[in-house]
Amino acid sequence: MSDKRTYVVLLGVPGAGKGTQAKLLEQCTGLPQVSTGDIFRYNLKNETELGKLAKSYMDRGDLVPDDVTIRMVRDRLQQPDCAQGAILDGFPRNLNQAAALDEMLAPHGGVSVAPLINLDDEETIRRITGRRTCRTCGAVYHILYNPPKVEGVCDIDGGELYQRDDDAEETVRNRLYVYYKQTAPLIGYYFAKGLLVEIDGAQAIEAVQQALLALLKRS
Ligand code: ADP
Ligand code: ADP
């Protein structure tokens, strides 16, 4: 018997706006944001075994090995707050992870929809190099497009805003390479399943959010 839940897989290049939108969708729908990048950064900050393992891959902009990442997501999706589904942000990142996710979600009706937030490379670089992240709550800002009320300070919890090490330009180039080589094939994968919906990521944050909410109402 299948108990149907809502699992949204947000796709898009690094910097497309997945994290920003996942947080907004979490507020509007009550479905939790499950961000593999945030979970890795939390473990890095707390110097856990997982954090130590992930660090060298993240510093280079490479993917953390699948066995570790898949196990981490499986555990996360079994938490009580994911009982109605989740907004997945940054997972899956390759075809192997997508197949593992399908297996995990099979008893719950599978992935509901896979919105692809489109953005060209030039704007992507501008987005990533201007990104600032809250050290304590992980909220995301942009120095020009989405600045905090007080420079360097998080609006939500007053935490310090910092630039992620892997948002430096050289690592960003490798992350884009990794995206096109390993993650972009997911576009065809979800298209073939009838789950892909393209959204123009160059629109304002609120417009992208409205497009996503309209999509969720239909799926
Ligand atoms: P962005 O959205 O800017 O690409 P993320 O926060 O999603 O950044 O990811 C940061 C880093 O964390 C990635 O470069 C990678 O090293 C690691 N990571 C995140 N998600 C995954 C995943 N699903 N599989 C493997 N590594 C991941
Ligand atoms: P991703 O999770 O896909 O890597 P983020 O959500 O972290 O992307 O967004 C990357 C940067 O771009 C952040 O600085 C964020 O504030 C900014 N941003 C996100 N969406 C938009 C948008 N629609 N317009 C302008 N800036 C945006």
Side-chain angles (χ1 to χ4, degrees), residues 6-219:
T6 304
Y7 291 99
V8 181
V9 169
L10 290 178
L11 298 172
V13 285
K18 301 181 297 297
T20 300
Q21 295 301 330
K23 282 200 165 59
L24 291 169
L25 286 180
E26 182 178 70
Q27 286 162 21
C28 295
T29 65
L31 295 170
Q33 172 193 19
V34 171
S35 159
T36 39
D38 282 356
I39 302 175
F40 284 133
R41 277 185 290 281
Y42 175 85
N43 279 276
L44 221 70
K45 192 173 81 179
N46 291 291
E47 297 179 356
T48 66
E49 285 308 310
L50 176 61
K52 283 178 203 156
L53 186 147
K55 184 174 174 10
S56 58
Y57 298 97
M58 293 176 79
D59 284 349
R60 286 194 302 272
D62 288 337
L63 296 186
V64 178
D66 282 351
D67 55 341
V68 175
T69 307
I70 290 168
R71 203 176 327 123
M72 183 176 91
V73 171
R74 186 176 290 121
D75 287 350
R76 179 67 190 90
L77 291 179
Q78 283 170 355
Q79 299 300 310
D81 63 327
C82 295
Q84 305 301 319
I87 317 279
L88 287 148
D89 152 25
F91 184 92
R93 266 310 217 271
N94 60 29
L95 290 170
N96 187 41
Q97 293 182 7
L101 181 66
D102 282 347
E103 218 180 288
M104 282 179 232
L105 301 189
H108 311 299
V111 170
S112 314
V113 64
L116 168 64
I117 306 179
N118 279 316
L119 198 68
D120 65 49
D121 282 356
E122 230 175 274
E123 185 60 17
T124 294
I125 303 275
R126 273 197 288 273
R127 293 260 182 105
I128 298 186
T129 48
R131 171 161 58 190
R132 296 294 180 271
T133 306
C134 175
R135 222 179 257 292
T136 42
C137 77
V140 172
Y141 298 85
H142 190 281
I143 49 172
L144 301 175
Y145 304 146
N146 183 27
K149 292 194 180 83
V150 179
E151 198 188 317
V153 180
C154 178
D155 292 348
I156 300 166
D157 70 351
E160 179 205 358
L161 301 186
Y162 78 111
Q163 181 168 33
R164 281 167 42 181
D165 289 344
D166 63 344
D167 280 350
E169 201 170 329
E170 178 138 337
T171 317
V172 171
R173 246 179 276 130
N174 188 45
R175 281 163 60 205
L176 286 177
Y177 173 78
V178 168
Y179 173 82
Y180 286 114
K181 207 168 150 79
Q182 300 202 48
T183 310
L186 295 181
I187 298 170
Y189 182 83
Y190 287 113
F191 178 77
K193 289 174 177 287
L195 296 173
L196 190 85
V197 182
E198 298 196 49
I199 290 179
D200 177 10
Q203 303 173 89
I205 291 175
E206 295 71 27
V208 177
Q209 187 195 1
Q210 289 311 318
L212 283 167
L213 283 173
L215 191 63
L216 282 191
K217 275 200 196 112
R218 293 203 304 270
S219 53

